[in-house]
Coordinates of all heavy atoms in Angstrom, one line a residue:
S468 N -222.6 -7.3 65.0 CA -221.6 -8.2 64.3 C -220.2 -7.6 64.5 O -219.3 -8.4 64.6 CB -222.0 -8.3 62.9 OG -221.1 -9.1 62.2
D469 N -220.1 -6.3 64.4 CA -218.8 -5.7 64.5 C -218.3 -5.6 66.0 O -217.2 -6.0 66.4 CB -218.8 -4.3 63.9 CG -217.5 -3.6 63.8 OD1 -216.8 -3.5 64.9 OD2 -217.1 -3.2 62.7
L470 N -219.2 -5.1 66.9 CA -218.9 -4.9 68.3 C -218.6 -6.2 69.0 O -217.9 -6.1 70.1 CB -220.0 -4.0 68.9 CG -220.2 -2.6 68.4 CD1 -221.4 -2.0 69.0 CD2 -219.0 -1.8 68.7
S471 N -219.2 -7.3 68.6 CA -219.0 -8.5 69.3 C -217.6 -9.1 69.0 O -217.2 -10.1 69.7 CB -220.1 -9.5 69.0 OG -220.0 -9.8 67.6
Q472 N -216.9 -8.6 68.1 CA -215.5 -9.0 67.8 C -214.5 -8.3 68.7 O -214.8 -7.1 69.0 CB -215.2 -8.8 66.3 CG -216.2 -9.2 65.3 CD -216.4 -10.7 65.3 OE1 -215.4 -11.5 65.4 NE2 -217.6 -11.2 65.1
N473 N -213.4 -8.9 69.0 CA -212.4 -8.1 69.6 C -211.9 -7.1 68.6 O -211.5 -7.4 67.5 CB -211.2 -9.1 70.0 CG -210.1 -8.4 70.8 OD1 -209.7 -7.2 70.4 ND2 -209.7 -8.9 71.9
R474 N -212.0 -5.8 69.0 CA -211.7 -4.8 68.0 C -210.4 -4.8 67.4 O -210.1 -4.3 66.3 CB -211.9 -3.4 68.7 CG -211.0 -3.1 69.9 CD -211.1 -1.7 70.4 NE -210.4 -1.5 71.6 CZ -209.1 -1.5 71.9 NH1 -208.3 -1.7 70.8 NH2 -208.6 -1.4 73.1
A475 N -209.4 -5.4 68.1 CA -208.0 -5.5 67.6 C -207.9 -6.4 66.4 O -206.9 -6.4 65.6 CB -207.0 -5.9 68.6
S476 N -208.9 -7.3 66.2 CA -208.9 -8.4 65.2 C -209.6 -7.9 63.9 O -210.5 -7.2 63.9 CB -209.5 -9.6 65.7 OG -208.9 -10.0 66.9
D477 N -209.1 -8.5 62.8 CA -209.9 -8.4 61.5 C -211.1 -9.3 61.7 O -211.1 -10.3 62.4 CB -209.1 -8.8 60.3 CG -207.8 -7.9 60.1 OD1 -207.8 -6.8 60.6 OD2 -206.9 -8.4 59.4
Y478 N -212.2 -9.0 61.0 CA -213.3 -10.0 61.0 C -214.0 -10.0 59.7 O -213.9 -9.1 58.9 CB -214.3 -9.6 62.1 CG -215.3 -8.5 61.7 CD1 -216.6 -8.8 61.3 CD2 -214.9 -7.1 61.8 CE1 -217.5 -7.8 61.0 CE2 -215.9 -6.1 61.5 CZ -217.1 -6.5 61.1 OH -218.0 -5.5 60.8
V479 N -214.6 -11.2 59.4 CA -215.2 -11.4 58.1 C -216.7 -11.0 58.2 O -217.5 -11.5 59.1 CB -215.1 -12.9 57.7 CG1 -215.9 -13.2 56.4 CG2 -213.6 -13.3 57.5
F480 N -217.1 -10.1 57.3 CA -218.5 -9.6 57.3 C -219.4 -10.7 56.6 O -219.1 -11.1 55.5 CB -218.5 -8.3 56.5 CG -219.9 -7.6 56.4 CD1 -220.2 -6.7 57.4 CD2 -220.8 -7.9 55.4 CE1 -221.4 -6.1 57.4 CE2 -222.0 -7.3 55.4 CZ -222.3 -6.4 56.3
S481 N -220.5 -11.1 57.3 CA -221.4 -12.1 56.8 C -222.8 -11.7 57.1 O -223.2 -11.7 58.2 CB -221.0 -13.5 57.4 OG -222.1 -14.4 57.1
W482 N -223.6 -11.5 56.0 CA -225.0 -11.2 56.2 C -225.8 -12.3 56.9 O -226.6 -12.1 57.8 CB -225.7 -10.9 54.8 CG -225.3 -9.6 54.2 CD1 -224.6 -9.4 53.1 CD2 -225.6 -8.3 54.7 NE1 -224.5 -8.0 52.8 CE2 -225.1 -7.3 53.8 CE3 -226.3 -7.8 55.8 CZ2 -225.3 -5.9 54.0 CZ3 -226.5 -6.4 56.0 CH2 -226.0 -5.5 55.1
D483 N -225.5 -13.6 56.5 CA -226.2 -14.7 57.0 C -226.0 -14.8 58.5 O -226.9 -15.1 59.3 CB -225.8 -16.0 56.3 CG -226.3 -16.0 54.8 OD1 -227.3 -15.2 54.5 OD2 -225.8 -16.7 54.0
K484 N -224.7 -14.7 58.9 CA -224.4 -14.8 60.3 C -225.0 -13.7 61.2 O -225.6 -14.0 62.2 CB -222.9 -14.9 60.5 CG -222.4 -15.1 61.9 CD -220.9 -15.2 62.0 CE -220.5 -15.3 63.5 NZ -219.0 -15.4 63.6
M485 N -224.9 -12.5 60.7 CA -225.3 -11.3 61.5 C -226.8 -11.3 61.7 O -227.3 -10.7 62.6 CB -224.7 -10.0 61.0 CG -225.4 -9.5 59.7 SD -224.8 -7.9 59.3 CE -223.0 -8.2 59.1
L486 N -227.6 -11.8 60.7 CA -229.0 -11.8 60.8 C -229.7 -13.0 61.4 O -230.9 -13.2 61.4 CB -229.6 -11.5 59.4 CG -229.5 -10.0 58.9 CD1 -229.8 -9.9 57.5 CD2 -230.3 -9.1 59.8
S487 N -228.8 -14.0 61.9 CA -229.3 -15.2 62.4 C -229.9 -15.0 63.8 O -229.5 -14.2 64.6 CB -228.1 -16.2 62.5 OG -228.5 -17.4 63.2
L488 N -230.9 -15.8 64.1 CA -231.6 -15.8 65.4 C -230.8 -16.8 66.3 O -231.3 -16.9 67.5 CB -233.0 -16.2 65.3 CG -234.0 -15.1 64.9 CD1 -235.4 -15.7 64.6 CD2 -234.1 -14.0 65.9
D489 N -229.8 -17.4 65.9 CA -229.0 -18.3 66.7 C -227.6 -17.7 66.9 O -227.1 -17.1 66.0 CB -228.9 -19.7 66.0 CG -230.2 -20.4 65.8 OD1 -231.1 -20.3 66.8 OD2 -230.5 -20.9 64.8
G490 N -227.0 -18.0 68.0 CA -225.7 -17.5 68.3 C -225.6 -16.1 68.8 O -226.7 -15.5 69.1
N491 N -224.4 -15.6 68.9 CA -224.2 -14.3 69.5 C -224.4 -13.2 68.5 O -223.4 -12.6 68.0 CB -222.7 -14.3 70.1 CG -222.5 -13.0 71.0 OD1 -223.5 -12.3 71.4 ND2 -221.3 -12.8 71.3
T492 N -225.7 -12.9 68.2 CA -226.0 -11.9 67.2 C -227.0 -10.9 67.8 O -227.7 -11.2 68.8 CB -226.7 -12.6 66.0 OG1 -228.0 -13.1 66.4 CG2 -225.8 -13.7 65.4
A493 N -227.2 -9.8 67.2 CA -228.2 -8.8 67.6 C -229.6 -9.4 67.6 O -230.4 -9.2 68.5 CB -228.1 -7.5 66.8
P494 N -230.0 -10.0 66.5 CA -231.4 -10.6 66.5 C -231.6 -11.5 67.6 O -232.7 -11.5 68.2 CB -231.5 -11.3 65.1 CG -230.5 -10.5 64.2 CD -229.4 -10.2 65.1
Y495 N -230.6 -12.3 67.9 CA -230.8 -13.3 69.1 C -231.0 -12.5 70.4 O -231.9 -12.8 71.2 CB -229.6 -14.2 69.2 CG -229.6 -15.1 70.5 CD1 -230.4 -16.2 70.5 CD2 -228.9 -14.7 71.6 CE1 -230.4 -17.0 71.7 CE2 -228.9 -15.5 72.7 CZ -229.7 -16.6 72.8 OH -229.7 -17.4 73.9
M496 N -230.2 -11.5 70.6 CA -230.3 -10.7 71.8 C -231.7 -9.9 71.8 O -232.3 -9.8 72.9 CB -229.2 -9.7 71.9 CG -227.8 -10.3 72.1 SD -227.7 -11.5 73.4 CE -228.4 -10.5 74.8
Q497 N -232.0 -9.3 70.7 CA -233.3 -8.6 70.6 C -234.5 -9.5 70.8 O -235.5 -9.2 71.5 CB -233.4 -7.9 69.3 CG -232.4 -6.7 69.2 CD -232.2 -6.2 67.8 OE1 -232.3 -7.0 66.8 NE2 -232.0 -5.0 67.6
Y498 N -234.4 -10.8 70.3 CA -235.4 -11.7 70.5 C -235.5 -12.2 72.0 O -236.6 -12.3 72.5 CB -235.2 -13.0 69.6 CG -236.2 -14.1 69.8 CD1 -237.5 -13.9 69.3 CD2 -235.9 -15.2 70.4 CE1 -238.5 -14.9 69.5 CE2 -236.8 -16.2 70.6 CZ -238.1 -16.1 70.1 OH -239.1 -17.1 70.3
A499 N -234.4 -12.3 72.6 CA -234.4 -12.7 74.0 C -235.1 -11.7 74.9 O -235.9 -12.0 75.8 CB -232.9 -12.9 74.5
Y500 N -234.8 -10.4 74.5 CA -235.5 -9.3 75.3 C -237.0 -9.3 75.0 O -237.8 -9.3 76.0 CB -234.9 -7.9 74.8 CG -235.7 -6.8 75.4 CD1 -235.5 -6.4 76.7 CD2 -236.6 -6.1 74.6 CE1 -236.2 -5.3 77.2 CE2 -237.3 -5.0 75.1 CZ -237.1 -4.6 76.4 OH -237.8 -3.6 77.0
A501 N -237.4 -9.5 73.8 CA -238.8 -9.5 73.4 C -239.5 -10.7 74.1 O -240.7 -10.6 74.5 CB -239.0 -9.5 71.9
R502 N -238.8 -11.8 74.2 CA -239.4 -13.0 74.8 C -239.6 -12.8 76.3 O -240.7 -13.2 76.8 CB -238.5 -14.2 74.6 CG -239.1 -15.5 75.1 CD -238.2 -16.7 74.7 NE -238.8 -17.9 75.2 CZ -238.2 -19.1 75.0 NH1 -237.0 -19.2 74.4 NH2 -238.8 -20.2 75.5
I503 N -238.7 -12.1 76.9 CA -239.0 -11.8 78.4 C -240.1 -10.9 78.5 O -241.0 -11.1 79.4 CB -237.7 -11.2 79.0 CG1 -236.5 -12.1 78.9 CG2 -237.9 -10.8 80.4 CD1 -235.2 -11.5 79.3
K504 N -240.2 -9.9 77.7 CA -241.3 -8.9 77.8 C -242.7 -9.6 77.5 O -243.7 -9.2 78.1 CB -241.1 -7.8 76.8 CG -239.9 -7.0 77.0 CD -239.8 -6.4 78.4 CE -240.7 -5.2 78.6 NZ -240.5 -4.6 80.0
S505 N -242.6 -10.7 76.7 CA -243.9 -11.4 76.4 C -244.4 -12.1 77.7 O -245.6 -12.3 77.8 CB -243.7 -12.4 75.3 OG -242.9 -13.5 75.7
I506 N -243.6 -12.5 78.6 CA -244.0 -13.1 79.8 C -244.9 -12.2 80.6 O -246.0 -12.6 81.1 CB -242.8 -13.5 80.7 CG1 -241.9 -14.5 80.0 CG2 -243.2 -13.9 82.1 CD1 -240.6 -14.8 80.7
F507 N -244.6 -10.9 80.7 CA -245.4 -10.0 81.4 C -246.7 -9.7 80.7 O -247.8 -9.5 81.3 CB -244.7 -8.6 81.6 CG -243.5 -8.8 82.6 CD1 -242.3 -9.1 82.2 CD2 -243.8 -8.6 84.0 CE1 -241.2 -9.3 83.1 CE2 -242.7 -8.8 84.9 CZ -241.4 -9.1 84.4

Side-chain angles (χ1 to χ4, degrees):
S468 176
D469 189 305
L470 295 171
S471 62
Q472 312 293 322
N473 186 312
R474 59 170 167 74
S476 304
D477 296 340
Y478 81 100
V479 175
F480 185 91
S481 167
W482 285 114
D483 292 339
K484 183 178 178 181
M485 73 174 58
L486 287 169
S487 174
L488 278 172
D489 298 316
N491 191 14
T492 66
Y495 172 79
M496 296 305 310
Q497 290 164 327
Y498 177 73
Y500 173 78
R502 185 173 182 181
I503 298 173
K504 300 302 289 185
S505 72
I506 294 171
F507 290 91

